[in-house]
Amino acid sequence: MSSVKKVTLKSSDGEIFEVEETVAMESQTIKGLIEDDCADNAIPLPNVTGHILSLVIQYCKEHTSSSDSNSSKSNEKLKAWDTQFINVDLNVLFDLIMAANYLNVKGLLDLTCQTVADMIKEKTPEQIRAMFNIVNDFTPEEEEEVRRENAWAFEISLKNNNVVDTFEVEESMAKELQTIKNMIEDNYTDSVIPLHNVTSDILELVIEDCKKHVEAAESESEPSYSLASKLIDDPLKA
Amino acid sequence: MVESGTRTTHSFGSRCKRRVEDPSEDPMLYPCRKREKDPDDSIRSKLGYVLIEVLCRLPCRSAIQCMSVSKSWFSLISDPYFVRRFIHHRHQLSRSDSDSVPFTLLLQYKESQKNILVLPSDNSELFIDCGGGGGLDFLDFLPCFERARKNYPFCIVASFNDLLLVRSEVPPIRKPSFCEYCICNPLTKQWLTLPHLPCSRRNDMVGFVCDLCSCDKEQRCVTNAYYRYKVVLIHSPTETNTTQLSLQIFSSETGEWRGSVVSSQRGLNPFRMTSLDAGVLVCNGILYWIDADKYGLMIKGFVKFDPFNDAERCHYIDPPINLLPRDLMSFGVFQGHLRIFQIPGHHSPHDDGAYKFYVWELENYGTWCLKHKVNFKDTVSDHSDLVKIANGITPPGALLAFHPNVSEIVFLQLGNYIVLCNMQTRVLKVVSQLRDGGKILPGISCYYVSVYAKSVFLLTQPSWPTPVPPLPFH
């Protein structure tokens, strides 16, 4: 059958795209225009460049054909295609978000926003600033206050396997333990770090010790090595 | 009048609504049209535009951590509009997925020793560190906590979603005694105290109920960012068969306590142990409590009071069956329905000595429906103590709470064990054991700790922690 309805889309930089109507209707914005009979001539899209529009059309093509009854695209294949598709640089990614928002393509908006969210999720505030080149306009006191007001969100929980005792500790303290420091730096994404080899009471002692080390480092009163020797002495006495 | 705060009393930015002007970043409402000479610059401006959509898709903790990135991010995330958008986005995701609401079961017992037992669900993010001693230390961010340290009366009296209502009393030393109620969120450590009340000599019960605002009328979802609340102090009737009930109600809308008299068609009796130990239940924004006979031994029925929509009167609900002496009955809530847990006592010589329990649910039309029936003799467990208790000569278990997500699962206390019971498979599983002052109590002993229903709190965790006080309406 050759009479497949097509619509014409014109990008902000004058590129023309001829697209099947079903594909174009993945965009709720365009769908609305078609249904209101405003789509006889080329539909101008002044907020989307040709490069971005071609990507959006690619996405729509892929996702329309997958909802065809004839299509054999499985969900996994579609997900794999999406992952490949979204592997673009940050500038393009943001342009895609804005285009998906403007053209109202829900699936693409979810995909693009979730991708950026996943990038942010694993990063510390310093890393987020570096990634998006944001200037930190907080003074150290102001930043500390934000952290303090929302302390619960900044704490990591160490969870013991045996008795399900969880200890909430400041990240700076948890980093005293090299193992945990490595986990954090490797972007361990769970908010609870299970420690299978450590019982609750030992973990409590270890955390106490870390606290002392961190406090000593901050106050610069006692050199930290003298604290370590204290702890070594204690178990002999205990 | 009403004081509130978080851990520090002076807070930067979070209490004031002014936007911080940041010349290097555009607010997200005004997309920048800079020339693309500096690629970093354009990323920054584009991010400003799409930030809300991106941040909504972060886990709650990460979104809040992002407050410390920059001042404009801080303004964005602390803005009530963002919180509303965040919550609503979650609603659209979880249309079908109501099975995994995280929750924490919190038990408070032997108040003088301030014992607390905390049972979080696997996906709960609320970690309450009771310390080795199992105490109320997790509330030490409250200003009234110093009274607990001095051993003045201090306890949790009610909960709603992820909020707790705490009461502390100051005995008459130099000034007259007074009673202070405090609403707090144990996760975010935000709190507010209500105006003081004189200590009442009467037996009172307290109910705490919030009315959440709708975030989308069409989709019928509610947001906990904005809500109004009431704390209802119910004074015990002083005589039997009273038809007028005296209440004191604190309303968030007025910011004051007001006395109120409520009429009841049925005569109500003074509160005694049966009513006081069960406390007040909240179901669908309505308060329920037990009305007992004049000796306070047998449950006659349940009183129902709607402080938001029908505050002039209370109603009466008869139990599903007539209760006899030695029948045990307690109540709970499951997904917006009132449920009753009943263990019939042994009445006739024909009883085979086994104890059964029944779970009834109040349907929408006011009729009771028998949902589950379990004979303790038929229960199975790989824990030998539970088997002993289930086949014992005294009523084996007491209701703690119904599992918020699964209809057939119920939390029971058997001996000094906290047990999960699946009412369909009849499997009993130990989830915890009661402690006293940090020491684990023997599961079977001649000494059982009573955990009263009024001190069982089922905290549910919403997608965004409930702010205390509620965010201001725009």
Side-chain angles (χ1 to χ4, degrees):
Chain A
M1 281 284 290
S2 57
S3 57
V4 175
K5 280 189 88 176
K6 294 207 173 188
V7 293
T8 314
L9 306 173
K10 183 167 157 189
S11 72
S12 61
D13 43 359
E15 262 189 77
I16 306 277
F17 297 85
E18 242 195 19
V19 182
E20 285 179 25
E21 196 180 85
T22 44
V23 172
M25 302 237 281
E26 286 283 306
S27 154
Q28 298 295 309
T29 311
I30 296 179
K31 179 167 184 259
L33 291 172
I34 294 176
E35 287 169 352
D36 287 347
D37 270 336
C38 303
D40 291 339
N41 303 324
I43 301 178
L45 302 170
N47 289 3
V48 194
T49 61
H51 171 45
I52 298 300
L53 187 54
S54 70
L55 288 173
V56 177
I57 291 170
Q58 258 183 58
Y59 176 90
C60 294
K61 264 195 189 137
E62 193 67 23
H63 282 253
T64 318
S65 67
S66 75
S67 49
D68 262 348
S69 47
N70 296 334
S71 155
S72 56
K73 280 260 163 65
S74 66
N75 261 338
E76 292 85 52
K77 272 200 173 152
L78 201 55
K79 275 211 165 90
W81 187 92
D82 280 350
T83 312
Q84 182 73 315
F85 172 78
I86 213 64
N87 192 10
V88 292
D89 81 52
L90 221 46
N91 249 309
V92 175
L93 193 51
F94 287 170
D95 286 338
L96 276 174
I97 294 181
M98 296 209 283
N101 190 36
Y102 170 67
L103 294 171
N104 201 348
V105 185
K106 185 174 185 317
L108 184 59
L109 187 65
D110 281 339
L111 177 64
T112 46
C113 288
Q114 191 64 57
T115 307
V116 180
D118 291 343
M119 287 182 203
I120 292 179
K121 183 166 74 170
E122 305 162 3
K123 305 266 185 308
T124 66
E126 299 84 59
Q127 290 168 318
I128 296 174
R129 288 183 205 120
M131 193 161 75
F132 301 120
N133 206 38
I134 297 171
V135 171
N136 181 5
D137 49 358
F138 282 121
T139 66
E141 295 79 36
E142 287 169 342
E143 187 173 343
E144 178 52 36
E145 183 155 10
V146 174
R147 286 176 165 254
R148 214 175 30 233
E149 289 258 307
N150 299 289
W152 68 276
F154 287 91
E155 284 166 349
I156 303 179
S157 303
L158 304 174
K159 176 174 159 173
N160 165 274
N161 212 29
N162 301 342
V163 192
V164 194
D165 273 346
T166 55
F167 300 85
E168 286 202 320
V169 285
E170 283 282 309
E171 202 180 287
S172 56
M173 237 173 52
K175 284 192 176 169
E176 285 281 304
L177 304 166
Q178 273 301 121
T179 313
I180 296 178
K181 180 165 183 249
N182 291 337
M183 283 179 169
I184 294 173
E185 287 174 356
D186 287 345
N187 297 318
Y188 195 90
T189 49
D190 285 1
S191 61
V192 176
I193 299 178
L195 301 171
H196 302 284
N197 293 349
V198 192
T199 59
S200 307
D201 25 21
I202 299 299
L203 188 55
E204 253 182 71
L205 287 173
V206 172
I207 290 176
E208 277 309 303
D209 184 53
C210 291
K211 270 196 183 132
K212 288 182 191 141
H213 277 256
V214 170
E215 282 160 18
E218 284 171 359
S219 65
E220 289 177 292
S221 49
E222 272 187 304
S224 37
Y225 54 83
S226 68
L227 286 177
S229 60
K230 261 192 208 162
L231 189 65
I232 291 171
D233 282 340
D234 281 348
L236 295 174
K237 292 175 190 165
Chain B
M1 185 193 67
V2 171
E3 303 164 52
S4 67
T6 45
R7 279 212 280 226
T8 52
T9 42
H10 174 68
S11 55
F12 158 77
S14 55
R15 302 272 170 264
C16 63
K17 294 292 159 260
R18 62 174 198 274
R19 293 225 172 218
V20 179
E21 237 54 58
D22 186 352
S24 65
E25 276 185 78
D26 291 310
M28 55 98 201
L29 289 176
Y30 305 103
C32 170
R33 263 171 248 144
K34 287 184 184 158
R35 302 288 142 241
E36 294 199 21
K37 277 184 202 161
D38 178 2
D40 293 333
D41 223 18
S42 82
I43 285 189
R44 227 185 3 250
S45 62
K46 287 177 192 174
L47 183 59
Y49 187 67
V50 305
L51 203 50
I52 276 199
E53 288 301 314
V54 168
L55 294 178
C56 271
R57 288 162 167 84
L58 284 173
C60 176
R61 242 172 222 257
S62 305
I64 293 190
Q65 285 187 8
C66 286
M67 277 190 185
S68 65
V69 168
S70 80
K71 287 185 181 176
S72 63
W73 281 46
F74 179 89
S75 288
L76 186 80
I77 298 168
S78 28
D79 193 291
Y81 173 78
F82 173 78
V83 178
R84 200 167 67 215
R85 179 83 194 85
F86 183 98
I87 293 170
H88 189 60
H89 179 258
R90 288 299 185 282
H91 289 153
Q92 294 165 319
L93 288 180
S94 68
R95 279 287 97 182
S96 54
D97 183 32
S98 60
D99 286 344
S100 58
V101 173
F103 66 93
T104 301
L105 190 61
L106 195 146
L107 309 177
Q108 178 182 245
Y109 53 99
K110 288 195 73 187
E111 273 164 42
S112 50
Q113 274 82 350
K114 300 188 176 33
N115 287 305
I116 289 277
L117 186 69
V118 180
L119 299 166
S121 64
D122 289 336
N123 53 354
S124 167
E125 286 204 21
L126 171 60
F127 297 112
I128 291 180
D129 180 15
C130 311
L136 288 171
D137 287 347
F138 70 100
L139 294 174
D140 65 0
F141 58 92
L142 294 175
C144 54
F145 190 75
E146 50 173 33
R147 300 188 196 129
R149 291 208 180 97
K150 293 183 191 165
N151 267 319
Y152 295 161
F154 180 95
C155 63
I156 305 171
V157 291
S159 74
F160 188 92
N161 286 356
D162 55 341
L163 301 179
L164 292 176
L165 181 70
V166 174
R167 177 178 65 212
S168 67
E169 280 175 36
V170 177
I173 306 177
R174 262 167 291 207
K175 299 179 260 184
S177 70
F178 66 87
C179 183
E180 184 181 86
Y181 287 94
C182 182
I183 297 173
C184 69
N185 185 322
L187 177 66
T188 60
K189 299 186 163 64
Q190 293 178 335
W191 54 269
L192 72 85
T193 44
L194 305 188
H196 295 166
L197 280 181
C199 282
S200 162
R201 290 295 109 209
R202 297 148 86 176
N203 284 326
D204 293 338
M205 293 209 278
V206 186
F208 172 44
V209 56
C210 301
D211 182 31
L212 305 184
C213 289
S214 90
C215 55
D216 187 323
K217 286 219 163 64
E218 235 172 88
Q219 298 197 36
R220 282 142 129 262
C221 40
V222 291
T223 173
N224 62 329
Y226 310 103
Y227 58 96
R228 49 182 185 156
Y229 61 87
K230 287 192 199 257
V231 176
V232 179
L233 206 56
I234 310 164
H235 296 306
S236 168
T238 43
E239 298 169 345
T240 58
N241 224 6
T242 318
T243 52
Q244 304 249 295
L245 207 54
S246 157
L247 310 175
Q248 253 172 308
I249 305 183
F250 178 89
S251 160
S252 61
E253 294 172 295
T254 61
E256 318 181 305
W257 288 97
R258 295 224 178 121
S260 152
V261 174
V262 152
S263 63
S264 166
Q265 275 206 313
R266 300 270 204 100
L268 304 175
N269 289 325
F271 300 155
R272 296 207 210 282
M273 264 172 44
T274 311
S275 305
L276 293 171
D277 290 345
V280 178
L281 201 73
V282 178
C283 179
N284 276 338
I286 298 179
L287 303 180
Y288 295 86
W289 64 91
I290 288 176
D291 176 54
D293 67 354
K294 61 181 177 176
Y295 303 108
L297 293 176
M298 269 183 19
I299 296 179
K300 273 177 68 192
F302 307 94
V303 188
K304 169 180 165 177
F305 176 61
D306 185 349
F308 286 110
N309 301 315
D310 190 13
E312 310 280 299
R313 79 198 102 247
C314 54
H315 302 268
Y316 207 90
I317 297 178
D318 291 302
I321 56 167
N322 282 329
L323 285 167
L324 300 169
R326 288 197 298 268
D327 279 358
L328 299 173
M329 185 179 274
S330 48
F331 60 173
V333 186
F334 176 73
Q335 293 187 351
H337 290 276
L338 192 66
R339 277 192 173 184
I340 281 181
F341 177 89
Q342 177 208 4
I343 298 183
H346 288 163
H347 306 297
S348 83
H350 301 294
D351 276 332
D352 59 356
Y355 282 97
K356 305 179 183 64
F357 73 82
Y358 300 88
V359 171
W360 305 83
E361 191 169 290
L362 189 64
E363 312 257 87
N364 289 328
Y365 302 108
T367 51
W368 291 101
C369 165
L370 182 63
K371 284 293 204 184
H372 300 281
K373 173 178 165 184
V374 176
N375 190 328
F376 274 108
K377 253 203 189 142
D378 298 334
T379 57
V380 291
S381 171
D382 48 11
H383 198 295
S384 57
D385 276 357
L386 292 189
V387 175
K388 275 194 207 135
I389 298 174
N391 290 295
I393 52 170
T394 49
L399 172 75
L400 293 173
F402 294 100
H403 193 287
N405 302 326
V406 186
S407 171
E408 60 262 21
I409 296 186
V410 67
F411 288 96
L412 301 176
Q413 180 188 354
L414 264 67
N416 283 324
Y417 293 106
I418 308 298
V419 171
L420 210 75
C421 171
N422 185 320
M423 298 186 277
Q424 278 187 343
T425 62
R426 290 157 170 64
V427 170
L428 299 176
K429 204 177 92 159
V430 173
V431 284
S432 188
Q433 210 161 331
L434 293 174
R435 298 178 183 221
D436 191 1
K439 270 181 56 183
I440 295 187
L441 295 169
I444 298 185
S445 101
C446 37
Y447 163 62
Y448 292 125
V449 172
S450 308
V451 181
Y452 299 114
K454 68 170 181 179
S455 297
V456 175
F457 308 103
L458 192 62
L459 296 172
T460 52
Q461 192 184 308
S463 51
W464 189 273
T466 307
V468 179
L471 295 176
F473 251 127
H474 275 183

